[in-house]
Coordinates of all heavy atoms in Angstrom, one line a residue:
V69 N -43.0 12.8 30.1 CA -42.3 14.1 30.3 C -41.9 14.3 31.8 O -40.8 14.7 32.1 CB -43.2 15.3 29.8 CG1 -42.7 16.6 30.4 CG2 -43.2 15.3 28.3
P70 N -42.8 14.0 32.8 CA -42.4 14.2 34.2 C -41.2 13.4 34.6 O -40.3 13.9 35.4 CB -43.6 13.8 35.0 CG -44.8 14.0 34.1 CD -44.2 13.7 32.7
L71 N -41.0 12.2 34.0 CA -39.9 11.4 34.3 C -38.6 12.0 33.7 O -37.6 12.1 34.3 CB -40.1 10.0 33.7 CG -40.7 8.9 34.6 CD1 -40.7 7.6 33.9 CD2 -40.1 8.9 36.0
V72 N -38.7 12.4 32.4 CA -37.5 13.0 31.8 C -37.0 14.3 32.5 O -35.8 14.5 32.6 CB -37.9 13.4 30.3 CG1 -36.8 14.2 29.7 CG2 -38.1 12.1 29.5
K73 N -38.0 15.0 33.1 CA -37.6 16.2 33.9 C -36.9 15.9 35.2 O -36.3 16.7 35.8 CB -38.8 17.0 34.2 CG -39.4 17.7 32.9 CD -40.7 18.4 33.2 CE -40.4 19.7 34.1 NZ -41.7 20.4 34.4
C74 N -36.9 14.6 35.5 CA -36.1 14.2 36.7 C -34.7 13.9 36.4 O -33.9 13.7 37.4 CB -36.8 12.9 37.3 SG -38.4 13.2 38.0
F75 N -34.3 13.8 35.2 CA -32.9 13.8 34.8 C -32.2 15.1 35.1 O -32.9 16.1 35.2 CB -32.7 13.4 33.3 CG -33.0 12.0 32.9 CD1 -34.0 11.7 32.1 CD2 -32.1 11.0 33.4 CE1 -34.3 10.4 31.8 CE2 -32.4 9.7 33.1 CZ -33.4 9.4 32.2
P76 N -30.9 15.1 35.3 CA -30.2 16.4 35.4 C -30.5 17.3 34.3 O -30.7 16.9 33.2 CB -28.7 16.0 35.4 CG -28.7 14.5 35.9 CD -30.0 13.9 35.4
Q77 N -30.7 18.6 34.6 CA -31.2 19.5 33.7 C -30.4 19.7 32.4 O -30.9 20.1 31.4 CB -31.5 20.9 34.4 CG -32.3 21.8 33.6 CD -32.9 23.0 34.4 OE1 -32.7 23.0 35.6 NE2 -33.5 23.9 33.7
E78 N -29.1 19.4 32.6 CA -28.2 19.6 31.4 C -28.5 18.5 30.3 O -27.9 18.6 29.2 CB -26.7 19.6 31.8 CG -26.3 18.3 32.5 CD -26.4 18.4 34.0 OE1 -27.2 19.3 34.5 OE2 -25.8 17.6 34.7
L79 N -29.2 17.5 30.7 CA -29.5 16.4 29.7 C -30.7 16.7 28.8 O -30.9 16.0 27.8 CB -29.7 15.1 30.5 CG -28.5 14.5 31.2 CD1 -28.9 13.1 31.8 CD2 -27.3 14.3 30.3
W80 N -31.5 17.7 29.1 CA -32.7 17.9 28.3 C -32.9 19.4 28.0 O -32.5 20.2 28.8 CB -34.0 17.3 28.9 CG -34.2 17.6 30.4 CD1 -33.8 17.0 31.5 CD2 -35.0 18.7 30.9 NE1 -34.2 17.6 32.6 CE2 -34.9 18.7 32.3 CE3 -35.7 19.8 30.3 CZ2 -35.6 19.6 33.1 CZ3 -36.3 20.7 31.1 CH2 -36.3 20.6 32.5
T81 N -33.6 19.6 26.9 CA -33.9 21.0 26.5 C -35.4 21.1 26.2 O -36.1 20.0 26.0 CB -33.1 21.4 25.3 OG1 -33.4 20.5 24.2 CG2 -31.6 21.4 25.5

Side-chain angles (χ1 to χ4, degrees):
V69 167
L71 272 185
V72 169
K73 291 177 68 177
C74 293
F75 284 115
Q77 194 164 353
E78 60 270 16
L79 293 185
W80 51 269
T81 59

